[in-house]
Each structure stands twice: as structure tokens, then as C-alpha cells.
């Protein structure tokens, strides 16, 4: 029988991260977002305490844990009202890709900074015409002597203004076959030829989204992730399961936060004869339903993380997609239900739930839409013909 209990170390991590998150809280998160600032203080303290690098091996300054531990960090900060998107991008995607498929020099150069929070690496795959379909990516890398030249466009790239490098997914010609194959490059954010423009988003978030333009960005040979072009495809897929699992964990934490805020309010708000509004089933049942959905999503996240950390990548891919689907649906339901339970107060900044509406709605779209996950399940689990 599977043991659903966390280890003592994981329990201690959860409690410690929860305490850190509550010291900052949702008000801090919203104030930073609305001021156009970043959650720099929280990020650096989390790094100093070792929480950003829990999934990075100890020889590179990390905690030596897995995606299970990083999911705990993502969930508990979100449950405190501080859902940090760059936890998904930098420690989950970039650190995993570099650890599993980078060269030893790349590991030594980047992983310690990712672990202590002094470095951020963001991820660029999505393009205006291709979305995240890497078969249609138009960003191309070509050889120029020992160097590489990158050209193309990327969109919805998170946190470029906070990062030192962008992990760019491009396509390059295979000398043996002449076909284009994916390759990943570590591009400094101040590289000549790379420019950016900020996208205005209807989301309350301290992390910004950008369009990136790469115009013959010249990179040295060692900017290519891995020892050769053969590392490109496995490196690309290496980041996808951790991304889905940690996004799901962040959504579950957000759902928990929203339900906690709503239940505090409904347990104390008294109208119609002095009874608290939580005694009415029309209020309590929707909240209870949302709580069930969040808890079910948490179980799927736990399963996906355990499979990933056990090296069972194919099974983790299925579970990770399901966890992401369940979590994004549950988070959207929880936040919407919380707003409804609070009535007019739910739409105020003070009560801190409507501020999450944009983010949880976006989670049903990115990093992979609910429809694409349903396509995946229909094809790979239910044995249906591919629909696209």
C-alpha cells in the first residue's frame, strides 16, 4: 500500500516554507505586482534558506531532493498567497534541463546560482505562429564557424527582466539527415541582437510577460545545452514533466489559499438573524465541493511527483498532465467560489481573492491548455485516434 505520509524532512520543509510565505503574505504579493516591482526579498530569502534549490544535487549547492520537494515549496508559497511563477521556470525547468542534459561546465556555472537564488534562467519555447508545437518552431540556429547564430521570435516569455539567461528552444539542421531538430541554447539576456517588449496582461502578478526578438544573436559553441545536438530533444522533454507538476502544485496552493480566505469569512460573517452565512448550505456546499476538488488534485500531484522522482518518466508524463488539468480546474473553481461566498467583499483588493482570478484563469491555458491535455488522455489513455 502506498504511504501518503510525507517524510519527516518533507514535513519540516512544508512547515518552514509555510512560515516564510505567511511572513510575506498576499498583501505583499499584490503590492509588488501593482507597483510594477518584483518579489525580490521573498525570492532571495527563499534562496538563502535553501528552498529554491531543493531539487538540485548537493554537489552543486542544492538540497539533493526531487520534484516532490520543489512541489512542496511551490504549493506552500501559493497557499500563503504568494504564487511565484518563476519557481516553475527557473528551478523546475531550467535547473532540471541543465542537470540532466547540460555539460559538466554548464552545471558548475549555473546550478549553484539557481540553487541560492542569485541567478534566474527563464524558458522560451512558445512562438506566435507555432504556440509550443516544437515541430513548427520558426526560431532557427545555424552554424557560423564555431559560433551559433539564432534568429526568430518568442512570445509569453515570463520574467525576462529578472533573469540573467534565457533557455531558448530553437531548431537546427542535422548534418547527417538535413532535417531540422530541436536544440536548446543558454542566451544571456543582454546578448546583442536580442530585444524584448513587455506584454500587457490582465493578471495581477509581479512577474512580467514578454515578446522576444532574436536577430542573428551570436553565441559561442558552449551556449548549446549538452555535448551535442543529440541532447536537444531529450533536454526539451526533460523540463516538461517538472513544469506541469510544479504548475499544478502552485494551483493547488492557490486553491487552498482561496478556500481558507473564504471559510474564515463565512464562519464569522453573520446576517439574517445572527447565524453565520457558513451555516447555509448554499454557501458551505460550494466551498466544500471546491475543497474536495483541490484535495483530489493534490493527490494526483503527489503521485506525479513520486513517479518522476522514481525515474518513471512515461508514467510521470501521464500523471503530470492529469495533475495539471485537475489542479487548474480546481484552482479556478476555488477562487471563483471564494469570490461568490464573500459577495461584494470578494471583489475588493482587501480580501485578497479576486486578485487571483486572472492567474487561475490563465492556468487553464498555460503552459499547456486543458484541451491539449484532454487530447493527450484521449489518445494515450483511451486509445483514440489523434485528433490534430
Amino acid at each position: 500500500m502506498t504511504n501518503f505520509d510525507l517524510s519527516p524532512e518533507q514535513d519540516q520543509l512544508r512547515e518552514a516554507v509555510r512560515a516564510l510565505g505567511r511572513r510575506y503574505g498576499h498583501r505583499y504579493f499584490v503590492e509588488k505586482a501593482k507597483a510594477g516591482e518584483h518579489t525580490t526579498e521573498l525570492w532571495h530569502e527563499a534562496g538563502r534558506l535553501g528552498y529554491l534549490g531543493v531539487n538540485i544535487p548537493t554537489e552543486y549547492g542544492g538540497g539533493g531532493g526531487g520534484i516532490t520537494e520543489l512541489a512542496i515549496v511551490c504549493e506552500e508559497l501559493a497557499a500563503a498567497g504568494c504564487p511565484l511563477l518563476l519557481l516553475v521556470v527557473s528551478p523546475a525547468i531550467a535547473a532540471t534541463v541543465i542537470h540532466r542534459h547540460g555539460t559538466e561546465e554548464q552545471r558548475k556555472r549555473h546550478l549553484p546560482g539557481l540553487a541560492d537564488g542569485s541567478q534566474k534562467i527563464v524558458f522560451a519555447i512558445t512562438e506566435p505562429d507555432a504556440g509550443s508545437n516544437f515541430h513548427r518552431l520558426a526560431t532557427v540556429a545555424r552554424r557560423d564557424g564555431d559560433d551559433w547564430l539564432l534568429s526568430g521570435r518568442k512570445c509569453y516569455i515570463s520574467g525576462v527582466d529578472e533573469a540573467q539567461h534565457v533557455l531558448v528552444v530553437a531548431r537546427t539542421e542535422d548534418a547527417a539527415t538535413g532535417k531540422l531538430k530541436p536544440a536548446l541554447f543558454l542566451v544571456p539576456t543582454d546578448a546583442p541582437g536580442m530585444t524584448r517588449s513587455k506584454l500587457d496582461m490582465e493578471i495581477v502578478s509581479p512577474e512580467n510577460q514578454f515578446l522576444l526578438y532574436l536577430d542573428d544573436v551570436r553565441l559561442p559553441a558552449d551556449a548549446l545545452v549538452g555535448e551535442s545536438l543529440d541532447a536537444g530533444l531529450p533536454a526539451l522533454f526533460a523540463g516538461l514533466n517538472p513544469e506541469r507538476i510544479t504548475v499544478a502544485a502552485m494551483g493547488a496552493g492557490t486553491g487552498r489559499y482561496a478556500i481558507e480566505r473564504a471559510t474564515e469569512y463565512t464562519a464569522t460573517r453573520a446576517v439574517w438573524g445572527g447565524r453565520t452565512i457558513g451555516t447555509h448550505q448554499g454557501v458551505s456546499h460550494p466551498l466544500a465541493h471546491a475543497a474536495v476538488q483541490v484535495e483530489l488534485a493534490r493527490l494526483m500531484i503527489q503521485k506525479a511527483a513520486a513517479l518522476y522522482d522514481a525515474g518513471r518518466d512515461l508514467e510521470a508524463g501521464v500523471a503530470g498532465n492529469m495533475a495539471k488539468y485537475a489542479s487548474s480546474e480546481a484552482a479556478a473553481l476555488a477562487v471563483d467560489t471564494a469570490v461568490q461566498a464573500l459577495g461584494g467583499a470578494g471583489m475588493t483588493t482587501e480580501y485578497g481573492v479576486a486578485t487571483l482570478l486572472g492567474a487561475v484563469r490563465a492556468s487553464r491555458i498555460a503552459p499547456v491548455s486543458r484541451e491539449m491535455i484532454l487530447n493527450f488522455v484521449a489518445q494515450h489513455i483511451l486509445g483514440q485516434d489523434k485528433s490534430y
Side-chain angles (χ1 to χ4, degrees):
M1 180 178 291
T2 301
N3 182 359
F4 291 102
D5 293 330
L6 297 178
S7 70
E9 295 77 16
Q10 290 168 339
D11 262 329
Q12 291 169 10
L13 175 65
R14 188 179 290 281
E15 291 299 324
V17 176
R18 180 181 300 155
L20 172 65
R22 288 182 173 176
R23 284 212 315 275
Y24 285 86
H26 191 60
R27 187 179 298 275
Y28 162 83
F29 179 88
V30 172
E31 287 175 353
K32 288 291 182 179
K34 292 193 171 183
E37 299 174 356
H38 304 305
T39 52
T40 306
E41 302 88 353
L42 173 55
W43 184 271
H44 285 314
E45 186 167 359
R48 180 177 59 79
L49 293 171
Y51 305 149
L52 302 181
V54 289
N55 62 312
I56 294 173
T58 55
E59 59 264 38
Y60 302 107
I67 292 302
T68 296
E69 283 73 21
L70 186 59
I72 289 171
V73 175
C74 291
E75 181 183 346
E76 289 306 322
L77 287 179
C82 298
L84 300 186
L85 178 59
L86 290 192
L87 279 171
V88 174
V89 178
S90 197
I93 300 176
T96 299
V97 167
I98 292 170
H99 170 230
R100 292 185 61 170
H101 297 284
T103 64
E104 181 58 24
E105 175 57 34
Q106 288 166 345
R107 295 186 193 105
K108 290 178 178 177
R109 188 187 315 160
H110 296 291
L111 292 180
L114 293 176
D116 66 19
S118 62
Q119 183 177 175
K120 294 175 184 174
I121 299 177
V122 296
F123 185 60
I125 182 172
T126 307
E127 295 186 359
D129 296 324
S132 55
N133 179 2
F134 73 87
H135 296 291
R136 293 187 56 199
L137 295 182
T139 299
V140 174
R142 66 182 191 277
R143 291 277 193 186
D144 186 49
D146 291 334
D147 292 345
W148 291 96
L149 292 175
L150 262 64
S151 292
R153 293 184 300 159
K154 298 290 183 181
C155 60
Y156 304 114
I157 310 306
S158 307
V160 180
D161 55 335
E162 300 181 62
Q164 290 76 37
H165 289 82
V166 184
L167 187 60
V168 175
V169 183
R171 299 178 75 198
T172 188
E173 186 174 275
D174 186 335
T177 65
K179 295 181 179 179
L180 291 176
K181 60 191 298 185
L184 277 67
F185 295 87
L186 285 159
V187 183
T189 49
D190 60 356
M194 186 169 75
T195 56
R196 67 187 187 226
S197 61
K198 183 182 172 184
L199 284 163
D200 290 328
M201 307 291 290
E202 295 300 322
I203 300 173
V204 179
S205 173
E207 292 123 346
N208 298 315
Q209 302 291 316
F210 291 89
L211 290 166
L212 286 185
Y213 307 92
L214 300 106
D215 184 13
D216 279 346
V217 177
R218 183 173 293 276
L219 299 169
D222 63 1
L224 175 71
V225 173
E227 299 288 353
S228 72
L229 290 174
D230 292 335
L233 190 59
L236 173 59
F237 281 113
L240 297 184
N241 286 341
E243 174 190 53
R244 281 150 176 68
I245 294 167
T246 50
V247 162
M250 189 167 67
T254 300
R256 285 173 50 203
Y257 167 83
I259 292 167
E260 181 180 345
R261 297 292 294 164
T263 52
E264 287 173 352
Y265 182 86
T266 56
T268 55
R269 170 75 168 160
V271 294
W272 303 112
R275 299 174 68 190
T276 62
I277 61 174
T279 62
H280 300 288
Q281 292 175 353
V283 175
S284 63
H285 280 192
L287 287 171
H289 173 64
V292 170
Q293 300 310 304
V294 169
E295 190 61 25
L296 290 173
R298 294 181 74 203
L299 287 172
M300 201 65 200
I301 294 162
Q302 186 177 357
K303 177 180 179 179
L307 288 169
Y308 181 84
D309 289 338
R312 295 159 65 178
D313 286 353
L314 289 177
E315 294 165 279
V318 174
N321 272 305
M322 289 183 170
K324 193 273 173 186
Y325 180 94
S327 174
S328 61
E329 296 297 303
L333 175 67
V335 172
D336 186 68
T337 303
V339 170
Q340 193 69 23
L342 270 68
M347 294 304 297
T348 65
T349 303
E350 177 186 358
Y351 281 87
V353 285
T355 43
L356 294 165
L357 282 169
V360 295
R361 187 62 188 82
S363 75
R364 299 174 76 203
I365 301 169
V368 57
S369 71
R370 63 191 299 275
E371 290 76 17
M372 288 304 294
I373 293 177
L374 292 175
N375 282 336
F376 176 90
V377 172
Q379 180 185 346
H380 295 283
I381 307 304
L382 305 183
Q384 304 301 301
D385 288 340
K386 192 173 182 179
S387 62
Y388 58 94

